[in-house]
Amino acid sequence: MRLTRCQAALAAAITLNLLVLFYVSWLQHQPRSSRARAPRRASAAGPRVTILVREFEAFDNAVPELVDSFLQQDAAQPVVVVADTLPYPPLALPRIPNVRLALLQPALDRPAAASRPETYVATEFVALVPDGARAEAPGQLERMVEVLRAGSARLVAAPVATANPARCLALNVSLREWTARYGQASAAPRCDALDGDAVVLLRARDLFNLSAPLARPVGTSLFLQTALRGWAVRLLDLPFAAARQSPLATAHARWKAEREGRTRRAALLHALGIRLVSWEGGRLEWFGCSKETTRCFGTVVGDTPAYLYEERWTPPCCLRALRETARYVVGVLEAAGVRYWLEGGSLLGAARHGDIIPWDYDVDLGIYLEDVGNCEQLRGAEAGSVVDERGFVWEKAVEGDFFRVQYSESNHLHVDLWPFYPRNGVMTKDTWLDHRQDVEFPEHFLQPLVPLPFAGFVAQAPNNYRRFLELKFGPGVIENPEYPNPALLSLTGRG
């Protein structure tokens, strides 16, 4: 059947109307940000950087504006917004293939790869962009890529022009000491870490080879991991603009974000094994155990705490608690007229370090058995556990005839008090443990006792403590440090 010219024109008009109707319907279903205006440029070679947006608060943010600002620079710009769970209220992101929402929490109805953000990254570089930033100047990412490729730094950063722009810091991370030490950068703009808001660019393979690549807070997590590896960051004078509207527009939102940020940071540092943060100027932040919590390690087996097997020493919060307990107990004993002296590893620590041995987990004091009755707390401990007015717990040890003073009812870091008595000029006791230093010794080492700096105060110690220690541990013990049980684990790697 041949179509007449009139029928053909009618069919064409109907088809055109259907196409227009379909386009209008499609356009109405697009988020406003993707319809704002035409992009200023498109990269002929294709984008080399994926924008990763991780640091934002679901309850109040400017993420849609952030994403739209980069799409205005390049409509094909890959953007991945990363969240633990589906953000609520929902994010108004453009429904286009190069903008993705990645959820880190595994779900029954998603494959494992969907919870790994590297699945969504196909570019050589990634830029970690914090909420509150926006792209306005063309070519910023390309300039950062050029600097990264041309220099020796493994990361390149550009400040965001917010009220808290990034600044350079020095950072030393000691896993052995569970400590991160921040200070003033000596070679800025090349530094170890940043404090403040910045866009940070690095190679995708470097980011996703980190153990916790997108843990929050992103800045804290990222620079702890990169500084430990010796990766430098270069801070460029290439500022990104700030969002027109603050991501946290109300006082309540700012309060909520600050509260949740503190909780998130404490959880992160605890998970990464950082118990102490030291800032320039001497300010300290503690993230380990306290008087209200349990200690950082469990029951010790074979005189070798679990942390030694992790190639770490005693957590600094535990050392702090031991110092506090030792100072307090010594004060009580001195006030009561109980003769005491540093014993075993504690005396060794005083002789070697003027402090507790960095891997020790308790404090040992010897006391005269005949003086026990002079001390109210020790008398009470003979009848049962006593919690004094400062929260320290005095009790008889279950392992034998000696006393133990715990830091608190929750935290069982402790000082052991070993009652000795003289017999024919030799100091002996009624309970002996399977420790090589647990031996009798001549009483003349205690006549007189001598002062010795220990754990931030001055304690009493045996006279000629070098000979005393060599009697207990063997020759050269002060100069040759070793773990408590070298047969299980040795400081030198042998055994």
Side-chain angles (χ1 to χ4, degrees):
M1 180 181 69
R2 293 185 63 184
L3 292 175
T4 65
R5 185 177 301 174
C6 181
Q7 289 172 324
L10 179 61
I14 292 172
T15 302
L16 180 60
N17 284 332
L18 287 172
L19 289 173
V20 170
L21 181 64
F22 173 77
Y23 175 74
V24 170
S25 175
W26 174 84
L27 192 62
Q28 288 176 339
H29 282 81
Q30 297 307 301
R32 184 180 304 169
S33 58
S34 66
R35 296 185 270 126
R37 58 183 185 273
R40 296 179 185 170
R41 68 171 187 88
S43 172
R48 294 186 291 173
V49 181
T50 296
I51 301 298
L52 284 180
V53 184
R54 170 63 168 145
E55 196 60 71
F56 67 95
E57 302 295 345
F59 55 82
D60 194 3
N61 61 74
V63 170
E65 179 186 343
L66 182 161
V67 172
D68 186 52
S69 71
F70 281 94
L71 295 177
Q72 297 303 324
Q73 302 295 315
D74 187 343
Q77 172 67 60
V79 178
V80 180
V81 178
V82 183
D84 294 302
T85 58
L86 188 66
Y88 181 82
L91 293 173
L93 299 176
R95 298 176 186 174
I96 54 178
N98 51 302
V99 177
R100 304 292 299 272
L101 176 63
L103 304 181
L104 300 183
Q105 182 171 296
L108 291 173
D109 60 345
R110 295 200 309 268
S115 300
R116 296 195 294 266
E118 59 268 34
T119 302
Y120 303 90
V121 176
T123 57
E124 180 181 358
F125 303 94
V126 291
L128 297 167
V129 182
D131 192 16
R134 59 178 288 114
E136 286 189 346
Q140 284 177 292
L141 293 177
E142 288 300 318
R143 173 61 182 147
M144 294 175 75
V145 168
E146 292 169 4
V147 173
L148 183 63
R149 281 186 161 167
S152 57
R154 295 284 285 269
L155 305 93
V156 168
V160 180
T162 62
N164 185 33
R167 64 187 183 97
C168 251
L169 291 175
L171 172 58
N172 176 267
V173 180
S174 173
L175 292 182
R176 188 178 69 180
E177 299 174 308
W178 310 71
T179 299
R181 297 180 177 89
Y182 291 88
Q184 185 175 356
S186 58
R190 184 184 173 93
C191 44
D192 303 314
L194 301 177
D195 179 34
D197 299 323
V199 173
V200 181
L201 183 135
L202 69 163
R203 287 178 172 83
R205 67 170 183 267
D206 283 346
L207 175 65
F208 293 116
N209 277 331
L210 299 176
S211 59
L214 293 175
R216 296 182 67 190
V218 172
T220 302
S221 169
L222 178 68
F223 295 122
L224 282 172
Q225 295 175 86
T226 58
L228 181 66
R229 290 160 173 77
W231 299 359
V233 54
R234 182 176 175 188
L235 183 59
L236 305 180
D237 185 15
L238 190 70
F240 279 77
R244 293 189 181 94
Q245 180 178 350
S246 171
L248 303 169
T250 67
H252 177 75
R254 290 190 291 274
W255 168 82
K256 186 175 179 180
E258 183 178 345
R259 183 192 63 180
E260 294 190 4
R262 285 196 302 268
T263 301
R264 199 178 291 130
R265 182 166 174 265
L268 169 74
L269 292 171
H270 196 273
L272 295 182
I274 300 298
R275 299 291 183 267
L276 175 61
V277 175
S278 173
W279 290 96
E280 52 185 328
R283 181 170 66 89
L284 300 178
E285 288 184 286
W286 298 89
F287 295 94
C289 62
S290 68
K291 219 170 175 69
E292 291 73 38
T293 69
T294 58
R295 68 186 187 184
C296 292
F297 57 94
T299 302
V300 176
V301 178
D303 298 327
T304 307
Y307 51 78
L308 291 184
Y309 291 102
E310 300 172 11
E311 299 184 2
R312 294 181 179 236
W313 289 352
T314 309
C317 49
C318 297
L319 290 173
R320 179 178 66 161
L322 286 173
R323 293 185 187 106
E324 183 181 340
T325 307
R327 178 193 290 269
Y328 177 72
V329 169
V330 162
V332 171
L333 297 179
E334 290 179 345
V338 176
R339 290 167 290 175
Y340 76 91
W341 60 93
L342 294 169
E343 259 292 344
S346 299
L347 177 61
L348 183 57
R352 187 187 292 151
H353 308 282
D355 200 352
I356 299 168
I357 293 175
W359 51 84
D360 208 352
Y361 54 89
D362 64 5
V363 171
D364 291 307
L365 300 177
I367 60 174
Y368 270 87
L369 177 60
E370 64 187 272
D371 293 345
V372 167
N374 298 342
C375 179
E376 177 185 351
Q377 290 86 340
L378 292 178
R379 291 196 308 270
E382 288 188 312
S385 181
V386 174
V387 181
D388 68 18
E389 69 279 0
R390 293 275 300 275
F392 294 91
V393 182
W394 299 69
E395 61 187 9
K396 207 71 176 287
V398 297
E399 300 95 324
D401 191 20
F402 64 98
F403 297 94
R404 177 162 289 161
V405 185
Q406 295 180 164
Y407 187 45
S408 72
E409 292 182 275
S410 301
N411 192 326
H412 294 174
L413 289 160
H414 58 264
V415 173
D416 284 336
L417 302 174
W418 300 91
F420 284 82
Y421 54 90
R423 185 172 60 193
N424 299 324
V426 174
M427 297 300 291
T428 189
K429 58 188 174 75
D430 293 330
T431 295
W432 301 94
L433 301 182
D434 189 22
H435 299 157
R436 60 175 177 163
Q437 72 271 21
D438 200 16
V439 296
E440 297 178 330
F441 59 90
E443 187 179 13
H444 67 72
F445 282 108
L446 308 181
Q447 297 175 341
L449 293 167
V450 297
L452 193 64
F454 176 70
F457 62 98
V458 176
Q460 295 297 306
N463 62 71
N464 202 343
Y465 53 81
R466 175 179 288 275
R467 284 186 57 197
F468 184 88
L469 287 168
E470 292 188 343
L471 169 69
K472 294 211 165 200
F473 292 96
V477 64
I478 296 177
E479 293 77 18
N480 299 288
E482 186 51 274
Y483 286 155
N485 192 343
L488 283 180
L489 188 67
S490 174
L491 179 63
T492 59
R494 299 186 299 270

